[in-house]
Amino acid sequence: MSTLPSIRLTVTTFVYFTAISLGAGILVVNPARFLLIVPLITGAILLGHAVKTANLNKLGYATMWLWAGVIALVVIGAVAEIVLQADVPPLAEIPVARVLGTFSLIAIVVAAYIHGIQRATIEGSQRSITT
C-alpha cells in the first residue's frame, strides 16, 4: 500500500506542473520563445517547495488563482473587442503585453502560494495558543 501515496503524489505533481506551466505560459505562443523558460522554472521551484514542505493544497489554490487570472484576461479581451467595435490583436502578438502578461500571471501564482503558506502558519500558531 505504500505505492498508492507515491502514485498519487506523482500524478498530483504532474497535474500541478502542467497547470502552472500552461497557465503562466499561455501568452508564449508558437514558436516557443525564450520567455517560456520563466513559467517552467517557476512551476518547478514552486512544486519542489510544495512537495518538500507538504503544501500541495496551498499550491492547488494558487493554481486556481492563476487560472482565474487567465480567465480574466480572456474576458477583458472580449469586452475590449465589444466596446471598441474593432479587431483587437491578441495579447500574445504584442511583445510588451506578452512579457508583462507572463510575469503578471507568474506573480499571481507566487503571491497566492505565499499568502496561503503565511495564512496557514498564522492559523496554526493561533490554534496552538488556544489549545
Side-chain angles (χ1 to χ4, degrees):
M1 283 303 217
S2 66
T3 60
L4 186 59
S6 176
I7 292 171
R8 184 179 300 151
L9 179 64
T10 303
V11 171
T12 302
T13 55
F14 176 75
V15 168
Y16 283 176
F17 180 76
T18 303
I20 292 170
S21 299
L22 290 176
I26 201 153
L27 295 175
V28 182
V29 294
N30 197 12
R33 294 185 171 83
F34 187 67
L35 185 60
L36 187 59
I37 292 172
V38 178
L40 292 176
I41 290 175
T42 303
I45 291 171
L46 288 176
L47 193 57
H49 185 268
V51 169
K52 185 178 177 183
T53 60
N55 284 317
L56 279 173
N57 287 340
K58 310 303 182 278
L59 186 59
Y61 291 123
T63 305
M64 287 190 296
W65 280 107
L66 167 68
W67 280 96
V70 170
I71 291 171
L73 281 175
V74 170
V75 169
I76 289 170
V79 169
E81 274 195 24
I82 292 170
V83 170
L84 296 176
Q85 301 274 329
D87 286 336
V88 178
L91 291 177
E93 292 180 3
I94 305 168
V96 172
R98 182 174 44 239
V99 172
L100 290 177
T102 300
F103 282 106
S104 296
L105 290 172
I106 289 170
I108 289 172
V109 71
V110 170
Y113 180 62
I114 291 172
H115 176 72
I117 291 172
Q118 288 176 345
R119 185 173 158 195
T121 305
I122 291 170
E123 288 175 358
S125 65
Q126 288 176 348
R127 282 189 199 133
S128 66
I129 291 172
T130 60
T131 57

